Amino acid sequence: MDFVANGSKNVEIETSTGVYLRHAIQTHFVEIGEDYIELVNRYVKPLYEEGDLLSISEKIIALCQKRVVYRKDMKISWLAKFLSRFAIQHNSAGIGVGEVCKMQFAIDECGAWKVLWAAICAGFGKLVGKHGIFYDMVGMEVTGLDGFYPDVFPVYGEYGIRIPENPSGVCNEIYEKTGVRAMIVDANDFTRDILGKGDNVTLTDEQLCEIIRDNPAGQDDQCTPFILIRKKQ
């Protein structure tokens, strides 16, 4: 098969563990409640070879698991309105707590006092040029929340998408039911996090991040949540 990359991304990448080819697999627009096993069987299985590794966008697994928070159901507090005024709403890495719904989610998830303290610490951090303190303090559930932003896909303006539940368990289930080795990643053009991987994936998280360091899935409207990874012989 011919490997195809997204836009300006490269098919081939050199890492400390070798050279890898990455194929961006295009799917339909995946909606809430779909079956990720069916998606892997439909889009990945016909292309998969023994030894390959599938990188899966965390957003797709979360949507399949119905891990969403609807804007219409959120009760926005005065604290969320106040704190969101001092934060970045959106940048090229994704939606931030400047979006009042994401700030409210942080308060609901972590508690008002913790979020307020994180905001204060972040404010002092900015004075000395240190960024990211707020997200380090509130944790991955808040940091990983996607959605509440309609510019790429309008429907994503209606809800936030949480990080998947038990991502490593999902990868093991995918392997048991399809034979496809997988990892679930939260990636953008600036950061990469391995949320989970199958027990049969022997590379470390750092080594896996090397393979996707340029975010081969992209973060616009490509609809390529699956990246098939194959080591070059």
Side-chain angles (χ1 to χ4, degrees):
M1 61 172 282
D2 292 328
F3 275 54
V4 177
N6 266 325
S8 61
K9 311 292 183 180
N10 294 319
V11 166
E12 191 172 299
I13 191 166
E14 185 172 353
T15 77
S16 61
T17 56
V19 177
Y20 293 85
L21 306 176
R22 292 90 46 82
H23 178 56
I25 301 175
Q26 190 164 41
T27 70
H28 65 279
F29 181 79
V30 176
E31 300 190 51
I32 298 170
E34 293 200 40
D35 184 346
Y36 52 78
I37 298 297
E38 191 279 329
L39 293 172
V40 171
N41 275 325
R42 177 178 173 184
Y43 290 108
V44 181
K45 190 65 175 174
L47 307 174
Y48 186 84
E49 295 182 1
E50 189 67 29
D52 288 351
L53 175 65
L54 178 65
S55 176
I56 307 174
S57 165
E58 94 293 350
K59 185 184 300 181
I60 296 306
I61 300 299
L63 286 170
C64 290
Q65 292 177 332
K66 303 180 182 179
R67 295 266 293 167
V68 297
V69 183
Y70 290 95
R71 183 185 293 272
K72 63 181 178 61
D73 295 333
M74 302 193 78
K75 296 180 179 179
I76 306 300
S77 64
W78 68 268
L79 183 60
K81 293 177 182 177
F82 174 75
L83 292 179
S84 64
R85 292 167 52 194
F86 301 97
I88 296 174
Q89 181 175 13
H90 184 269
N91 57 35
S92 53
I95 192 71
V97 288
E99 160 55 57
V100 68
C101 285
K102 186 164 184 178
M103 182 65 79
Q104 185 60 54
F105 176 81
I107 293 170
D108 293 342
E109 187 71 20
C110 303
W113 286 110
K114 182 173 181 178
V115 170
L116 181 58
W117 178 239
I120 292 170
C121 291
F124 282 112
K126 288 180 181 178
L127 294 177
V128 295
K130 188 172 183 180
H131 300 278
I133 293 175
F134 181 89
Y135 293 105
D136 288 342
M137 293 179 66
V138 295
M140 195 62 199
E141 280 287 347
V142 176
T143 304
L145 185 72
D146 209 337
F148 292 132
Y149 185 68
D151 286 24
V152 178
F153 297 112
V155 69
Y156 284 175
E158 300 173 11
Y159 52 77
I161 307 169
R162 304 184 65 168
I163 61 175
E165 186 175 26
N166 190 19
S168 291
V170 169
C171 293
N172 287 329
E173 180 191 5
I174 289 172
Y175 183 73
E176 290 168 7
K177 294 182 177 179
T178 70
V180 172
R181 293 194 312 149
M183 63 177 178
I184 296 173
V185 307
D186 182 4
N188 56 56
D189 288 344
F190 294 92
T191 63
R192 270 83 38 206
D193 291 299
I194 309 301
L195 300 186
K197 59 186 179 185
D199 292 341
N200 53 5
V201 177
T202 57
L203 294 178
T204 67
D205 288 2
E206 291 75 17
Q207 290 168 334
L208 293 171
C209 282
E210 274 193 88
I211 300 172
I212 58 165
R213 65 174 178 260
D214 58 343
N215 187 25
Q219 61 187 63
D220 293 319
D221 60 352
Q222 295 97 333
C223 284
T224 51
F226 295 137
I227 300 295
L228 186 65
I229 298 169
R230 183 172 298 167
K231 193 169 186 179
K232 190 174 181 181
Q233 301 302 318

